[in-house]
Amino acid sequence: MLDRVDRLLDWWSRALVALAIIAAAAMMIHVSVDVFSRSVLNAPLRQTNQMVAAYYMIAVAFLPIALLGRRDEHISVDVFTNLMPAWLRRIFSIFATLLGMAYMYVFTWQSWISAGRRTGQGEVLEISGGFLIVWPARWFLPIAGASLFLVFTLRLIRQILSKDGDLDQATRPHDI
């Protein structure tokens, strides 16, 4: 059962990374066309800065976090924990996972409320000559946060079910 959930989370986190890559490519093309239009044609695109800030950068920054969590590649400092006995490292690892879950729960909850509010308001940014609809990008944050929360939940289950010596196996996903 856990392996099936693990494969599903792997597929989902890779799909989010693919969306982030598409957003990064779109951002590069959009900015390049804007620079070309501004420099050569003396006609810059109106919404480039707002699109980069409201859509592209949010997608690039937040959508990949579930895959980073699955691979245990987020920032960590293990200078002192490497010197601890295995049982104490296990306790610290479980505590860190619980702390990550708590943070991601609050992050997801608050970003969900904000995204719902902004969607209800029909949030837009004023650009020269009109408006840019930005509320859809607000949903990137709760999606990314919930995804990382699920990754941490699966990690916690594996940590609890693992034997003392198998802590590395519990925190590292299978088949990555």
Side-chain angles (χ1 to χ4, degrees), residues 56-102:
Y56 302 137
M57 291 305 291
I58 293 172
V60 169
F62 286 96
L63 292 181
I65 64 172
L67 188 62
L68 293 174
R70 278 191 42 64
R71 292 182 174 178
D72 202 19
E73 293 180 348
H74 50 272
I75 297 171
S76 65
V77 179
D78 55 5
V79 173
F80 299 110
T81 56
N82 284 338
L83 303 174
M84 294 178 181
W87 66 270
L88 191 54
R89 273 198 319 267
R90 177 185 171 101
I91 291 171
F92 269 84
S93 182
I94 290 171
F95 176 73
T97 302
L98 285 168
L99 197 60
M101 287 175 67

Side-chain angles (χ1 to χ4, degrees), residues 107-125:
F107 175 86
T108 302
W109 170 42
Q110 290 300 308
S111 61
W112 180 275
I113 291 170
S114 177
R117 186 178 318 121
R118 306 296 173 108
T119 300
Q121 294 169 345
E123 182 184 24
V124 296
L125 288 177

Side-chain angles (χ1 to χ4, degrees), residues 4 6 37 41 54 76 110 118 128 149 153 155 161 169:
R4 191 177 314 161
D6 195 37
S37 296
L41 305 175
S76 65
Q110 290 300 308
R118 306 296 173 108
S128 61
F149 178 83
T153 302
R155 178 178 298 159
L161 296 178
Q169 287 293 338

